[in-house]
């Protein structure tokens, strides 16, 4: 059985004291919830990673970066490496988020280099894929997602897949308050699982975790997270308040 993953993407929000405060609230809230088959992850900004990790160590909550570069070190001003994320306490890294693809022009080829580096370094890579509204309206969503997965996972061998999580995040649902319906999301998750079966094998497609992201909140999480092929959520806005994030964790834990 796939363990559910509830991941908070804090994006470029919260100062260090605010991040520490939020992580303390999540840590304290989680003590009252007996976590069953579920993992909890927070992805603060780079500067908050170390202080947040100091708070959450031994709590069972994990942390991840929101991005990284594929080189080890050197003259790459403004970038951060896999080893640096690990040294701050991270086990995960989000790669290919639609905001990185759109605002920072990240290509599938660049994202693939990062995915390979992350996995080779022992980080679990959350590879984000998803279509824009225009692409969905012209019926191209499957084609787009398939290309993003094939290119994003190029060179990743079957033994490395255990360090890959896929996040399906329709771009039109991110930060808009308009989530995909449970059926729309589950259909895409099944489609993604079939792509993995074609690229690798049935066992890998059964085992890989596929998260849904896009306006997931404490109100709609039950319907979305109870779908057969949705293994958790990548959550932006609703992860910035402990009440809503804890509610999503609790709901998912009780499914
Ligand atoms: C995200 O940033 O990955 C995301 C899904 O954001 P939101 O939950 O705010 O739509």
């Amino acid at each position: 059985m796939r363990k559910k993953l509830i991941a908070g993407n804090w994006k470029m929000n919260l100062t260090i004291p605010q991040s520490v405060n939020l992580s303390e609230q999540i840590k304290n809230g989680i003590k009252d919830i007996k976590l069953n088959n579920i993992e909890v992850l927070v992805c603060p900004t780079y500067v908050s990673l170390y202080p947040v990790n100091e708070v959450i160590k031994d709590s069972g909550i994990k942390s991840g970066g929101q991005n990284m570069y594929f080189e080890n070190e050197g003259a790459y001003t403004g970038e951060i490496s896999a080893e640096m994320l690990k040294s701050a306490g991270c086990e995960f890294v989000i790669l290919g988020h639609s905001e990185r693809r759109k605002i920072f022009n990240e290509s599938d080829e660049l994202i693939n280099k990062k995915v390979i580096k992350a996995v080779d370094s022992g980080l679990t890579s959350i590879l984000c894929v998803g279509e824009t509204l225009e692409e969905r309206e012209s019926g191209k969503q499957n084609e787009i997602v398939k290309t993003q997965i094939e290119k994003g996972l190029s060179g990743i061998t079957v033994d490395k897949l255990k360090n890959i999580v896929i996040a399906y995040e329709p771009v039109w649902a991110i930060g808009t308050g308009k989530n995909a319906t449970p059926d729309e999301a589950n259909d895409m998750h099944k489609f993604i699982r079939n792509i993995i079966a074609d690229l690798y094998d049935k066992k890998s497609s059964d085992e890989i975790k596929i998260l849904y992201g896009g306006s997931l909140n404490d109100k709609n999480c039950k319907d979305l997270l109870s779908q057969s092929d949705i293994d958790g959520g990548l959550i932006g806005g609703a992860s910035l308040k402990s009440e809503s994030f804890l509610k999503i964790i609790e709901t998912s834990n009780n499914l």
Side-chain angles (χ1 to χ4, degrees):
M1 190 180 165
R2 296 181 298 266
K3 209 172 194 177
K4 280 209 169 19
L5 173 64
I6 301 299
N9 174 14
W10 295 358
K11 309 194 188 191
M12 197 176 77
N13 292 297
L14 309 179
T15 61
I16 296 174
Q18 288 169 334
S19 300
V20 165
N21 190 30
L22 177 58
S23 49
E24 275 165 353
Q25 288 173 11
I26 297 169
K27 178 181 159 178
N28 291 334
I30 264 180
K31 281 190 199 137
D32 301 330
I33 309 169
K34 203 178 161 306
L35 295 184
N36 302 321
N37 201 29
I38 157 174
E39 277 183 301
V40 176
L41 172 70
V42 292
C43 301
T45 61
Y46 296 138
V47 292
S48 293
L49 277 171
Y50 186 77
V52 164
N53 274 312
E54 286 293 291
V55 173
I56 61 178
K57 67 176 172 215
D58 306 324
S59 69
I61 304 168
K62 297 184 172 170
S63 74
Q66 299 174 15
N67 183 30
M68 54 157 254
Y69 197 51
F70 63 84
E71 294 286 0
N72 290 336
E73 61 186 0
Y76 305 102
T77 302
E79 294 296 331
I80 192 163
S81 71
E83 285 306 320
M84 290 167 194
L85 290 179
K86 281 168 62 185
S87 71
C90 293
E91 292 177 55
F92 286 76
V93 60
I94 299 171
L95 294 172
H97 191 281
S98 65
E99 287 150 17
R100 301 287 327 166
R101 291 177 189 265
K102 181 159 179 265
I103 305 169
F104 302 99
N105 290 319
E106 290 201 4
S107 65
D108 285 316
E109 289 70 23
L110 174 64
I111 294 161
N112 175 242
K113 287 184 180 169
K114 296 181 178 192
V115 170
I116 291 173
K117 185 67 189 181
V119 166
D120 283 348
S121 305
L123 289 168
T124 296
S125 171
I126 303 182
L127 171 64
C128 302
V129 297
E131 79 285 357
T132 62
L133 184 59
E134 203 185 3
E135 287 159 349
R136 179 160 278 260
E137 283 177 348
S138 52
K140 290 197 182 129
Q141 66 272 23
N142 288 6
E143 186 189 320
I144 296 293
V145 166
K146 186 165 187 268
T147 303
Q148 289 173 338
I149 291 179
E150 285 175 350
K151 291 192 171 176
L153 295 183
S154 172
I156 295 289
T157 50
V158 69
D159 54 308
K160 304 258 172 77
L161 265 196
K162 59 179 182 312
N163 287 328
I164 301 281
V165 171
I166 293 175
Y168 170 56
E169 301 208 298
V171 180
W172 47 270
I174 298 180
T176 58
K178 186 180 183 306
N179 59 283
T181 65
D183 283 345
E184 270 170 344
N186 204 40
D187 285 351
M188 182 57 89
H189 284 224
K190 285 184 178 158
F191 176 70
I192 292 172
R193 231 175 265 294
N194 286 335
I195 300 172
I196 299 297
D198 288 345
L199 289 176
Y200 298 93
D201 51 39
K202 171 84 170 62
K203 184 171 177 286
S204 305
S205 90
D206 285 342
E207 284 175 1
I208 198 162
K209 249 194 254 296
I210 309 175
L211 311 183
Y212 168 78
S215 297
L216 188 76
N217 59 37
D218 50 342
K219 311 276 179 317
N220 60 24
C221 64
K222 189 166 182 207
D223 288 344
L224 282 158
L225 298 177
S226 57
Q227 296 299 308
S228 62
D229 286 83
I230 301 186
D231 307 317
L234 182 54
I235 302 144
S239 72
L240 292 171
K241 292 264 180 303
S242 60
E243 301 77 35
S244 43
F245 193 57
L246 285 165
K247 187 84 208 297
I248 296 170
I249 293 169
E250 197 173 2
T251 305
S252 179
N253 194 46
N254 290 336
L255 286 172

